[in-house]
Amino acid sequence: VGRWAGPTCEECTIDCKNGGVADMTSCTCTCAPGWDGETCEEPCQNRSPLCGESPGWPTLDLCSNSGVLDNCHQWCGQCSCTSEPCAHGGTRGGVPSNYGEHTCDCNCVGRWAGPTCEECTIDCKNGGVADMTSCTCTCAPGWDGETCEEPCQNRSPLCGESPGWPTLDLCSNSGVLDNCHQWCGQCSCTSEPCAHGGTRGGVPSNYGEHTCDCNCVGRWAGPTCEECTIGCKNGGVADMTSCTCTCAAGWDGETCEEPCQNQSPLCGESPGWPTLDLCSNSGVQTNCHQWCGQCSCTSEPCAHGGTRGGVPSNYGEHTCDCNCV
């Protein structure tokens, strides 16, 4: 039987090919990796896409079934794939859809391809630059993704928010990193500048397609903060260059809707804030708009020599009362 021969079947005539080693006791071959069959002349293969597949034959204990064993030599361990390594993390075998002559093909990772995964096939879009050593893209500002085809975004309003994920050390958590690519620095917003002091990114409520919107200051608006939307009230005059109002006498505030007032009896008072050089202090300036010249009292005259403003005890709604003589 088998490869035994001779008058009393004591002569082993087996001839192992392709580096196979003959066991003269059992008259069988132990095949080198990549080979199979009685004399190691057949490539190591699975003959069915069901080997290791579910539904199919998902577990190795099914190899005790002769039908599975006959069809799944590599998967069942009857033979092994060649030991020639696959580069860049690729592996051989173990992919059910690779069967027949493709059983032992390299299963390459990422954008590596070719017989041993040494060919980088990545194609970086939108100005991305390919690193052919790692087969990855470095995306241009504004873009993200393996091939730089996705806009740079955060996917959650929790990125940088408190309560939420307020500090960057949380980016070590994969769930945070997956949702907060821009915030965690996986990508960056476009370098197209925002005008008039606007900035891109960094506002948690701007996420998704709005992640890299310009965050405009004051009354500036529009995609790049070049549109002045200020509306000056009560006779105020808009300066469209600075997008601010110059208020008419008697009025104050960003849009001239507040009366001109001091908010403290200390404005110009001694002890208190007796001299105007103290207006360089933000706390004094905030409380003493009229005294510091941020606004002026109405020009409506007071009769008989009376004057408006300048009396510290007249503050709040009485700041611009007439001081009668």
Side-chain angles (χ1 to χ4, degrees):
V1 293
R3 296 298 175 120
W4 292 107
T8 57
C9 302
E10 294 198 33
E11 182 185 346
C12 178
T13 62
I14 202 158
D15 181 15
C16 304
K17 307 294 186 183
N18 299 304
V21 178
D23 181 336
M24 303 308 284
T25 305
S26 61
C27 203
T28 57
C29 290
T30 300
C31 297
W35 295 100
D36 191 21
E38 188 181 23
T39 57
C40 309
E41 294 184 84
E42 302 167 22
C44 181
Q45 295 181 358
N46 297 316
R47 295 176 184 164
S48 170
L50 298 177
C51 305
E53 186 60 281
S54 183
W57 305 319
T59 57
L60 287 171
D61 61 336
L62 290 167
C63 290
S64 60
N65 178 296
S66 61
V68 174
L69 187 65
D70 288 346
N71 279 282
C72 304
H73 269 209
Q74 185 269 335
W75 183 61
C76 288
Q78 297 293 101
C79 63
S80 63
C81 291
T82 174
S83 56
E84 183 186 359
C86 304
H88 304 110
T91 57
R92 293 187 185 275
V95 176
S97 57
N98 284 357
Y99 67 102
E101 65 187 76
H102 298 292
T103 300
C104 289
D105 284 0
C106 280
N107 310 307
C108 303
V109 296
R111 297 298 175 121
W112 292 107
T116 57
C117 306
E118 298 206 43
E119 179 187 348
C120 177
T121 62
I122 203 157
D123 181 16
C124 305
K125 308 293 186 182
N126 299 304
V129 177
D131 180 337
M132 303 307 282
T133 303
S134 61
C135 203
T136 57
C137 292
T138 299
C139 298
W143 295 100
D144 192 20
E146 188 181 23
T147 56
C148 308
E149 294 185 83
E150 303 166 23
C152 181
Q153 294 182 358
N154 297 318
R155 296 178 183 164
S156 171
L158 298 178
C159 305
E161 186 59 282
S162 183
W165 305 319
T167 57
L168 286 171
D169 61 336
L170 290 167
C171 292
S172 59
N173 178 296
S174 60
V176 175
L177 188 64
D178 288 346
N179 279 283
C180 304
H181 270 207
Q182 184 271 334
W183 183 61
C184 288
Q186 297 291 102
C187 61
S188 61
C189 291
T190 175
S191 55
E192 183 186 0
C194 304
H196 304 110
T199 56
R200 293 186 185 273
V203 176
S205 57
N206 283 358
Y207 67 102
E209 65 187 78
H210 298 293
T211 299
C212 289
D213 284 1
C214 280
N215 309 308
C216 303
V217 295
R219 296 299 176 115
W220 292 107
T224 57
C225 305
E226 300 205 42
E227 180 186 349
C228 177
T229 62
I230 204 159
C232 304
K233 309 295 184 182
N234 299 303
V237 177
D239 180 337
M240 303 307 283
T241 304
S242 62
C243 202
T244 57
C245 291
T246 300
C247 297
W251 295 100
D252 192 18
E254 188 181 24
T255 57
C256 308
E257 294 185 83
E258 303 165 21
C260 181
Q261 294 181 359
N262 297 318
Q263 316 227 352
S264 170
L266 299 177
C267 304
E269 185 60 280
S270 183
W273 305 318
T275 58
L276 287 172
D277 62 335
L278 290 168
C279 290
S280 60
N281 179 293
S282 61
V284 174
Q285 189 174 76
T286 300
N287 280 282
C288 305
H289 270 207
Q290 185 270 335
W291 183 62
C292 288
Q294 298 290 103
C295 63
S296 63
C297 291
T298 176
S299 56
E300 184 184 356
C302 301
H304 307 297
T307 57
R308 293 186 185 275
V311 176
S313 57
N314 283 359
Y315 67 101
E317 64 187 78
H318 299 292
T319 299
C320 289
D321 284 359
C322 280
N323 307 308
C324 300
V325 296

